[in-house]
Amino acid sequence: MKRTVTKAIFPVAGMGTRFLPATKSVPKEIMTLVDRPLIQYAIDEARAAGIKEFIFVTSRGKSALEDYFDDAPVLEQELRRKKKTELLEVLRKTTMESGQIAYIRQHRAKGLGHAVACARRMIHDEPFAVILPDDVIAADKPCLAQMVEAYAETGGSMVAAMEVAPDRASSYGILDVENNEGQALKVRGMVEKPESGTAPSNLAVIGRYILSPRVMKHLTGLGAGAGGEIQLTDAIAREVDGDGVYGFRFEGQRYDCGSKAGFLQATVAFGLARPDLRDELSEFLSALSLSSK
Ligand code: UTP
């Protein structure tokens, strides 16, 4: 089995109800972290990991996403006329070559596993990445690039893992690992959203995966799991006794931009990391914390 990963699936068909009313007309993935939509962070991370083909699983009301990756000739012309070369460069980085990007519809939001399975005809006998744009990860080396490197050694399937507080475990897929030491951890079981007090560890799966094509086969015909949804975790768990599953303890800070608190934290952290915004923002935050005391 080859161990280079060139295809990535971006499941973006969810309804984003936690951000209503904003998501009534704006896809969650287009929401802006500082000055870039969430989806741009995901694409940049995929590119840095060597991904060449980008497969989006979308749904009704997500056309703004497709437009985002198109050429914008009128805007470009205007920026050229005004000699705004820096902005022109920023804009160019958002367009994708024709043929590099594909859109598939998930007609009903039946769960993450179902969304990934919708892309099955685009994945042949090769490993593929899955990226959830809600999970934004600040890291010196982008998270998926770290995983691609580790995966070249392990093979099998790999999921990004991070430690969570015990009372948060029931919101995640949780790993049962053979030995909770090191960076690539051999998994012996996985459970999606375990009931309180039953989690096998404090290691939660977050939105970066490198999966064996066998996972696609397991997804076909898989019934609903936790929350009545078709769960990607359940299909990956079947590989524990197959080609093997590894949890990868990545280096970096993950922000859950699918939740309001996570999005706000990411906005502050990414704002403070920007040289052009840092001073003004930190001054504002200090004044705010003084005035709230
Ligand atoms: P979430 O669990 O965050 O669901 O999905 P959601 O619909 O996006 O948001 P809320 O909970 O209603 O606020 C995690 C990821 O899986 C995708 C979502 O688009 C998101 O990237 N997803 C989820 C699908 O593509 N299809 C589904 O049926 C469910």
Side-chain angles (χ1 to χ4, degrees):
M1 171 69 60
K2 96 181 177 157
R3 288 192 185 169
T4 44
V5 188
T6 57
K7 292 184 180 178
I9 300 175
F10 300 80
V12 291
M15 289 190 278
T17 53
R18 281 171 287 172
F19 278 97
L20 281 170
T23 44
K24 186 178 169 203
S25 66
V26 180
K28 180 169 62 173
E29 303 73 24
I30 288 291
M31 292 197 325
T32 311
L33 193 49
V34 185
D35 52 9
R36 289 195 286 161
L38 288 185
I39 195 68
Q40 185 68 52
Y41 292 89
I43 292 289
D44 290 348
E45 186 177 327
R47 278 195 174 125
I51 298 298
K52 304 279 184 270
E53 286 181 58
F54 303 80
I55 303 160
F56 289 83
V57 181
T58 69
S59 58
R60 187 182 299 275
K62 300 269 178 165
S63 54
L65 257 176
E66 299 187 27
D67 292 343
Y68 177 77
F69 292 116
D70 260 353
D71 283 351
V74 177
L75 194 53
E76 279 190 27
Q77 206 178 0
E78 192 56 17
L79 292 176
R80 215 171 292 119
R81 198 178 62 78
K82 291 186 173 157
K83 302 205 174 353
K84 298 202 165 171
T85 41
E86 260 176 48
L87 282 181
L88 206 52
E89 200 38 45
V90 167
L91 199 63
R92 283 215 185 100
K93 284 195 184 134
T94 65
T95 58
M96 301 279 264
E97 267 173 52
S98 304
Q100 223 192 7
I101 189 162
Y103 301 96
I104 292 167
R105 279 260 180 144
Q106 184 190 25
H107 294 107
R108 270 206 292 151
K110 291 188 190 174
L112 175 59
H114 181 258
V116 170
C118 289
R120 63 193 174 278
R121 287 194 180 77
M122 319 263 332
I123 302 293
H124 305 291
D125 198 22
E126 68 214 304
F128 59 98
V130 175
I131 298 186
L132 304 189
D134 304 10
D135 278 335
V136 176
I137 301 168
D140 290 339
K141 180 185 243 179
C143 179
L144 192 65
Q146 296 176 36
M147 289 174 72
V148 161
E149 231 169 65
Y151 172 77
E153 302 292 322
T154 63
S157 290
M158 181 173 274
V159 299
M162 69 172 213
E163 279 164 25
V164 294
D167 64 332
R168 300 288 303 129
S170 56
S171 306
Y172 293 89
I174 300 289
L175 298 178
D176 183 6
V177 293
E178 277 177 12
N179 180 356
N180 197 346
E181 271 170 31
Q183 214 173 9
L185 313 163
K186 187 94 169 67
V187 171
R188 58 180 181 202
M190 295 171 79
V191 45
E192 183 63 36
K193 301 190 176 60
E195 274 178 36
S196 170
T198 66
S201 77
N202 61 348
L203 279 174
V205 177
I206 61 114
R208 302 289 184 274
Y209 309 77
I210 297 176
L211 300 178
S212 151
R214 288 161 51 104
V215 172
M216 232 7 143
K217 293 202 178 82
H218 300 320
L219 279 171
T220 314
L222 191 71
E229 297 198 333
I230 297 175
Q231 297 289 357
L232 183 58
T233 305
D234 295 344
I236 301 171
R238 293 194 182 183
E239 275 303 285
V240 168
D241 296 321
D243 288 344
V245 178
Y246 296 84
F248 183 75
R249 221 196 287 261
F250 59 95
E251 279 165 26
Q253 175 67 43
R254 171 258 191 181
Y255 296 94
D256 176 11
C257 289
S259 79
K260 283 177 257 208
F263 203 107
L264 289 171
Q265 287 159 16
T267 301
V268 173
F270 278 68
L272 288 174
R274 282 271 297 256
D276 56 333
L277 298 172
R278 187 169 29 217
D279 293 348
E280 202 176 328
L281 184 57
S282 57
E283 233 171 75
F284 169 73
L285 291 172
S286 322
L288 200 63
S289 75
L290 282 180
S291 70
S292 68
K293 272 181 188 153

